[in-house]
Every structure is written in C-alpha cells, then in structure tokens.
Amino acid sequence: MRQYLPTILSVNAGYVDTAGFLALQGLFSAHVTGNFVTLGAALVQGSSGIIAKLLALPVFCLVVMLVRLAAGPLAGGPRQLSVILGVQLILLTAAGVMAAVFGPFPNVDSADAVVTGMLLVCAMAVQNAVQRTHLSSFPPTTLMTGNTTQIMIDLADVLRGHPAPGLSARLRRNALSVAGFGSGCAAGAALFSTIDMLCFALPPGIALLSIFMTADDTPKAPPES
C-alpha cells in the first residue's frame, strides 16, 4: 500500500492548504512560499494576517530541521515513518480542535488564529520533510508546479516519439500527485463552504489512514528454526 501513500498525502495537503487559506484569510500551510505574495499584498492593502504570514517560514524551517534531527535517534527503529506521520496526526488534530473551539476567526491576527495556522504549517512541514527523507523517489506531495511541468515535458516527449526510459511510471506518479492535490483542494473548499470550521476534522482522519498505509514498513520477524 506504500505506493499509494504519496497520493493520500497529496490529497491531505491540497485539503489543508485550501481550508486553511479560506479559514485564515490567505495563509498557505502546505507551500509557505506563497505567503510571501500574500504578505506583500497584506502590507500594501493594510489587511490582516500579517503575523501568521511572517511566522510561517521560520516555523516551517524549524519543524523540518527538528524532523531531520529526530530521524537520527529513530534510525533503524521499527515503523520510523509511522512515528513521524503520527506527529503530523497530532498536529492536525490539535489544529482541528483549535478551529472547532475558537473559530471562525474574524481577526486572523488573534492568538487563537495564529496558533491554529502555525499548527497547520507545522503539520505540512512534517509532510514535506517526510517526502524528502522517506519518499524521495515519488513526486512532491505539496508542490504541484514541478509535477505539472514534468507531466508536460513527458507528454511532449511522447508526442515527438522520444519517450525516456521509465516515462510511463513517472507520468503516472506525477499525474496521481496532481490529481490527489486537486481533489483535496476541491474537497477542502466544498466542506469549508458547508460546515465551516468543522471541515478541519477530516485531515486527521486522512493522516490516520496514511499511518495505516505504512504497515508494511514494520520489520518482519525471522522464521522460527
């Protein structure tokens, strides 16, 4: 089931990014570089959300470093990937509780809104670190620009009759990642528009599913002699 794990992670990233963007007035949690654009717009227009956008990048960077440092003590241990994804599950659950209890957030510069946003950023930072360290052979699950570019390059190579070795498998993986992210975005927008802050109850469930999908990472006991 591990081969489908990146697709599930892409769905969750698209969902969290969209729901978080809508609930927190323009905060990107899955790919924080977008916050540079919205931060600039907020500074020019005088709109709210500046605090969270300023914090997003350093918080993201810190969490990625912590995941990498934690990987040392966990190296070689059973279910290392599951443990790290468990941290993401805790963060997404905490964000969902914050959103349900304190949301909606008319003032996204309030402490409750900022904490909720940073929990989402932390959760997506964990996912980005997981992708780089444990799923590096798969396309990114949070950044679709590169995946879309590679799809177009591969399709162009097919059309000109010069497909590269392994193109079909790469094209399938990139397409699944983009489709998963897009589906997550659509679901996040639809559920936010219908159930508001309660939509944040779904990402922890998807995170729990992703942990179950790593079950085959458990080292198998040697056969009895």
Side-chain angles (χ1 to χ4, degrees), residues 1-160:
M1 295 180 66
R2 183 183 173 119
Q3 61 180 319
Y4 300 108
L5 175 60
T7 304
I8 296 301
L9 293 176
S10 292
V11 172
N12 218 12
Y15 187 102
V16 170
D17 217 23
T18 302
F21 186 92
L22 294 170
L24 299 167
Q25 298 182 25
L27 177 69
F28 288 105
S29 51
H31 57 291
V32 296
T33 52
N35 292 316
F36 288 119
V37 176
T38 55
L39 174 61
L43 290 172
V44 170
Q45 297 173 352
S47 55
S48 58
I50 292 175
I51 296 175
K53 294 177 179 67
L54 283 172
L55 289 175
L57 182 60
V59 168
F60 184 93
C61 293
L62 177 61
V63 172
V64 170
M65 288 181 64
L66 290 174
V67 171
R68 183 61 171 174
L69 291 171
L74 291 173
R79 306 294 298 276
Q80 178 185 1
L81 178 56
S82 298
V83 171
I84 298 175
L85 289 175
V87 174
Q88 184 187 43
L89 170 60
I90 293 171
L91 291 166
L92 288 173
T93 301
V97 170
M98 289 288 295
V101 172
F102 299 105
F105 302 110
N107 177 16
V108 291
D109 287 323
S110 67
D112 297 334
V114 171
V115 170
T116 302
M118 291 308 100
L119 286 169
L120 294 175
V121 169
C122 289
M124 290 299 104
V126 170
Q127 181 165 318
N128 275 273
V130 162
Q131 197 280 323
R132 289 284 186 173
T133 57
H134 290 81
L135 302 170
S136 58
S137 61
F138 291 89
T141 60
T142 59
L143 303 172
M144 295 301 114
T145 303
N147 295 343
T148 305
T149 301
Q150 189 62 58
I151 289 172
M152 294 303 106
I153 291 174
D154 288 342
L155 288 177
D157 287 345
V158 170
L159 290 175
R160 68 192 185 108

